[in-house]
């Protein structure tokens, strides 16, 4: 039987989603708790691999088990008690054997949060950035971005990546509150380091250090070495994963969501 797990996490203390030889990962932490609670080794697959320090408001993973799980509030509570405070499971529900957390996903939506004012309680959750930004021209850069499909220029090299095509649904910058700026971007898939590199480049554009014409030239060059440093990980969130109708049919309604 296959189950989906819906969870969220603060990525500050982790080396990313994927299990690694050096460093604590979210995948290894969650797998360890599931293995301990269920009494047998558990292997989990996520909708996508977030980088070190990146957060997730919504992430889905799947796991396969030999017998039905006890889907009670007590079972969910016991798992959350075993997990560290910065990882939370919100729901566990059965899916079809053909439903896959990664390959069935049709979209991923990310946000990047920037604040002009230092916040002692959110230092690992937003980027504190003081320079003045021209948000109008940054949104014009988003329009340029949406005209393209190949994002090789924004991706770190990975030997397992077969292509660099991504279908962007939207990209824009919006003020959520005075002094708090958020970048919104949604696509069918994202490349390794893609969103942070886009944000880092957009910040250069917003400061007048990079023209829109040069920005498009860099996209067409398909050469990561021509772009600067990515934005820090602490401001980036995976906020929503989209699936076709039917995949989340058994997902319980969450009472902690607006």
């Amino acid at each position: 039987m296959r189950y989906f797990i819906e969870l969220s996490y603060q990525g500050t203390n982790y080396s990313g989603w994927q299990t690694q030889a050096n460093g604590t990962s979210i995948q290894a932490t969650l797998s360890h708790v599931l293995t301990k609670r269920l009494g047998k080794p558990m292997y989990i697959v996520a909708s996508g691999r977030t980088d070190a320090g990146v957060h997730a408001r919504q992430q889905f993973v799947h796991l396969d088990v030999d017998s039905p799980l006890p889907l009670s509030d007590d079972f969910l509570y016991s798992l959350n008690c075993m997990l560290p405070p910065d990882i939370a499971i919100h729901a566990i529900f059965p899916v079809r054997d053909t439903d896959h957390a990664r390959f069935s996903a049709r979209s991923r939506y990310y946000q990047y949060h920037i604040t002009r004012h230092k916040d002692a309680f959110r230092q690992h959750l937003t980027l504190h950035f003081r320079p003045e930004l021209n948000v109008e021209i940054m949104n014009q850069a988003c329009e340029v971005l949406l005209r393209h499909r190949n994002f090789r220029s924004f991706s770190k090299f990975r030997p397992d990546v077969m292509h660099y095509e991504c279908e962007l649904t939207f990209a824009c910058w919006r003020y959520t509150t005075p002094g708090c700026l958020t970048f919104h971007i949604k696509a069918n898939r994202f490349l390794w380091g893609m969103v942070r590199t886009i944000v880092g480049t957009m910040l250069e554009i917003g400061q007048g250090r990079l023209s829109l014409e040069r920005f498009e030239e860099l996209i067409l060059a398909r050469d990561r070495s021509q772009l600067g440093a990515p934005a820090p990980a602490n401001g980036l969130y995976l906020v929503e994963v989209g699936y076709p109708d039917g995949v989340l049919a058994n997902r319980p309604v969450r009472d902690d969501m607006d």
Side-chain angles (χ1 to χ4, degrees):
M1 298 184 64
R2 177 162 291 182
Y3 288 85
F4 266 31
I5 299 176
E6 181 182 5
L7 68 150
S8 60
Y9 49 83
Q10 181 179 326
T12 305
N13 297 321
Y14 299 92
S15 56
W17 164 263
Q18 191 173 12
T19 299
Q20 302 175 34
N22 298 313
T24 303
S25 73
I26 298 153
Q27 182 182 29
T29 302
L30 181 58
S31 294
H32 174 74
V33 167
L34 290 168
T35 295
K36 187 175 181 179
R37 180 64 176 80
L38 298 174
K40 59 181 67 176
M42 288 289 114
Y43 177 74
I44 55 176
V45 177
S47 68
R49 297 171 291 193
T50 51
D51 292 341
V54 175
H55 320 295
R57 296 192 184 278
Q58 182 184 72
Q59 173 72 284
F60 286 99
V61 305
H62 79 245
L63 76 161
D64 297 318
V65 294
D66 297 329
S67 57
L69 296 178
L71 301 182
S72 64
D73 289 341
D74 287 343
F75 176 66
L76 195 64
Y77 178 74
S78 68
L79 289 173
N80 277 317
C81 286
M82 296 170 71
L83 286 166
D86 48 13
I87 301 177
I89 295 177
H90 301 289
I92 304 177
F93 53 95
V95 295
R96 297 164 297 198
D97 292 344
T98 54
D99 293 332
H100 194 284
R102 179 184 175 190
F103 297 128
S104 296
R106 292 293 177 265
S107 65
R108 284 88 174 169
Y109 169 29
Y110 280 88
Q111 293 179 357
Y112 194 96
H113 296 270
I114 295 174
T115 178
R116 286 184 52 77
H117 308 291
K118 185 176 181 180
D119 187 335
F121 299 100
R122 303 189 70 205
Q123 60 177 320
H124 300 299
L125 303 176
T126 59
L127 173 64
H128 177 219
F129 192 81
R130 284 295 298 172
E132 292 288 344
L133 294 170
N134 185 333
V135 178
E136 181 180 354
I137 198 168
M138 290 164 71
N139 276 319
Q140 291 177 27
C142 289
E143 295 175 7
V144 174
L145 199 68
L146 290 168
R147 295 202 294 260
H148 296 271
R149 292 172 58 92
N150 189 300
F151 296 97
R152 175 67 183 88
S153 294
F154 300 99
S155 175
K156 298 178 183 178
F157 174 75
R158 290 185 72 104
D160 59 337
V161 174
M162 303 303 294
H163 67 89
Y164 297 93
E165 301 284 322
C166 303
E167 297 177 13
L168 268 60
T169 306
F170 61 75
C172 63
W173 289 88
R174 294 287 184 268
Y175 278 106
T176 50
T177 58
C180 296
L181 184 63
T182 301
F183 179 57
H184 304 261
I185 188 167
K186 184 177 182 179
N188 65 324
R189 66 191 290 262
F190 287 94
L191 306 168
W192 188 26
M194 176 176 165
V195 179
R196 290 172 55 204
T197 305
I198 289 175
V199 172
T201 307
M202 292 273 188
L203 293 178
E204 293 294 302
I205 294 171
Q207 295 174 84
R209 296 177 178 176
L210 186 68
S211 69
L212 294 178
E213 293 75 19
R214 180 55 181 161
F215 179 54
E216 188 150 35
E217 289 174 359
L218 291 171
I219 296 173
L220 294 171
R222 300 179 183 179
D223 182 359
R224 175 64 183 86
S225 66
Q226 294 190 36
L227 291 171
N234 59 306
L236 184 58
Y237 294 74
L238 172 62
V239 297
E240 183 181 82
V241 183
Y243 290 93
D245 292 341
V247 175
L248 305 182
N250 295 319
R251 176 191 177 208
V253 177
R254 286 177 55 181
D255 59 9
D256 62 332
M257 298 290 285
D258 293 333

